[in-house]
Amino acid sequence: MRSYYAILEVTPSASPEEIKKAFRRLSKQYHPDMNQGNTAYQHKLFDVIKAYEVLGNEAERRAYDLTLFRSQSTTATEKTQTARPTQTTTDYYQPEILHFSCNQSYFFMGDLIEISWECKQADVIRIYPLGYMDELKGKVIYRVKELDAKSLSFELTATNQHSSSVTKRSIHLNNGVYMNFTEANLNDKVRYVNPQHWSMGFLAPLGRSSRKDFGLRVAFLATLFLAAFFYQPYFEHDGTYSFFCTALIYVLIICSARRLHDVNRHGILSLLLLIPLLNIAFLLILLLLKGEELPNKHGRKPKF
């Protein structure tokens, strides 16, 4: 296994500035944007980040150096032990990962991912990127925030400090935005929550909107428009009324784009609302179309 110094391409005597400089150089070299999303480079970037998290921290680097350079000399008495007791002693200080899993095989932004693990004979347990864990067995919930990467990785590291033995296991999840769901595992049972407040559905064309949600939003916008129309004489400036109506049209286009996402169509079609007469028929179609039951590239099925 390569040492963290080898991963960052520096010597064990490198200064903190040299380590930071190497990290910046390799991060740029292996970044997906520089390599057309090549997964091999993504794994290298993953290793570089882990190495820098240890070597970039003075306390963790000292502990790592002690483990890395600890002598493995044995006494003459230990050499004369029988094979069976030696094997038993070695096994006792060898950490084991009995279980490390995730409740789903792919993710969307806003998903609540449940990571569970069970280890034995380990005194230090770390799950990257979640941090250190206090128990040999447990579960932790991780919420996916905005993430443009094509995959998400978790790595469990179980360490026995007595023997300096380390055991690792990884989980890799695919980003649902880039998946073909005719081939995906659609039996995943996840606790999906809306990654954004409901009000964001009026401002950004992200995610999906069900027929019920879209209908309520259109009714709300229509109410605002009628109120502005009847109170038009009370507007002090004609420009204020025009600006208000333009803002309502923009919000309607945003809501329509999210509704189109629910039927797996591109949101750009919402611009049809700008065409007189056709926009009425278009709104009726959006109110009648049934959304997809399965996830699509825009997200999971809306709960509401």
Side-chain angles (χ1 to χ4, degrees), residues 255-272:
C255 295
S256 300
R258 297 177 73 250
R259 180 70 187 106
L260 285 164
H261 291 168
D262 192 44
V263 297
N264 204 21
R265 295 294 185 271
H266 202 290
I268 196 68
L269 294 175
S270 60
L271 294 179
L272 293 174

Side-chain angles (χ1 to χ4, degrees), residues 19-295:
I19 291 175
K20 183 181 293 186
K21 184 177 180 180
F23 168 70
R24 290 175 177 174
R25 176 176 58 82
L26 293 174
S27 297
K28 183 177 181 181
Q29 178 180 341
Y30 296 140
H31 196 279
D33 291 343
M34 304 295 292
N35 299 281
Q36 291 78 45
N38 192 316
T39 56
Y41 287 101
Q42 290 181 8
H43 294 314
K44 289 183 179 180
L45 179 60
F46 181 65
D47 292 337
V48 168
I49 293 174
K50 290 192 298 180
Y52 181 70
E53 284 190 344
V54 174
L55 301 185
N57 183 288
E58 184 177 353
E60 290 196 22
R61 183 180 178 183
R62 284 199 301 267
Y64 177 74
D65 288 344
L66 289 175
T67 301
L68 184 63
F69 300 113
R70 180 179 297 172
S71 64
Q72 302 295 327
S73 59
T74 56
T75 62
T77 305
E78 291 172 333
K79 292 181 180 180
T80 59
Q81 289 180 333
T82 61
R84 184 181 181 86
T86 301
Q87 184 65 34
T88 303
T89 303
T90 302
D91 289 345
Y92 182 77
Y93 294 114
Q94 179 64 38
E96 294 185 35
I97 299 176
L98 304 179
H99 171 72
F100 183 48
S101 64
C102 178
N103 67 325
Q104 57 193 84
S105 60
Y106 60 92
F107 69 92
F108 284 103
M109 183 181 71
D111 278 4
L112 292 176
I113 296 177
E114 183 179 272
I115 303 293
S116 60
W117 74 92
E118 182 177 0
C119 304
K120 69 176 184 178
Q121 297 164 191
D123 43 25
V124 178
I125 296 176
R126 185 190 186 203
I127 300 179
Y128 181 85
L130 306 180
Y132 292 95
M133 303 298 153
D134 298 327
E135 303 292 338
L136 290 174
K137 179 180 179 180
K139 296 180 181 180
V140 65
I141 302 297
Y142 175 78
R143 181 174 181 174
V144 181
K145 299 181 181 179
E146 291 191 27
L147 187 65
D148 295 329
K150 291 187 177 181
S151 63
L152 177 62
S153 298
F154 299 91
E155 182 179 81
L156 171 62
T157 302
T159 305
N160 187 303
Q161 293 182 319
H162 183 86
S163 62
S164 300
S165 298
V166 179
T167 302
K168 296 183 178 183
R169 190 176 297 179
S170 299
I171 295 175
H172 301 284
L173 307 180
N174 293 319
N175 191 334
V177 173
Y178 301 98
M179 293 182 67
N180 180 358
F181 282 94
T182 59
E183 301 174 357
N185 178 12
L186 299 175
N187 295 321
D188 288 343
K189 297 180 180 179
V190 298
R191 288 171 288 180
Y192 178 66
V193 296
N194 192 341
Q196 301 172 338
H197 191 269
W198 67 271
S199 60
M200 289 300 295
F202 291 107
L203 304 176
L206 301 175
R208 297 168 57 177
S209 181
S210 65
R211 285 185 294 182
K212 181 178 180 181
D213 177 61
F214 178 68
L216 291 175
R217 291 177 186 271
V218 170
F220 176 70
L221 294 174
T223 302
L224 291 180
F225 179 79
L226 290 175
F229 178 77
F230 285 115
Y231 285 94
Q232 181 181 359
Y234 296 95
F235 282 91
E236 296 181 0
H237 304 285
D238 293 338
T240 304
Y241 175 75
S242 299
F243 174 80
F244 185 77
C245 292
T246 302
L248 289 180
I249 294 174
Y250 168 79
V251 173
L252 180 60
I253 290 174
I254 294 298
C255 295
S256 300
R258 297 177 73 250
R259 180 70 187 106
L260 285 164
H261 291 168
D262 192 44
V263 297
N264 204 21
R265 295 294 185 271
H266 202 290
I268 196 68
L269 294 175
S270 60
L271 294 179
L272 293 174
L273 290 171
L274 300 177
I275 303 176
L277 299 181
L278 180 61
N279 50 14
I280 299 176
F282 183 65
L283 276 177
L284 291 175
I285 291 174
L286 291 181
L287 289 169
L288 294 175
L289 281 177
K290 183 179 179 181
E292 292 193 342
E293 293 292 329
L294 302 178

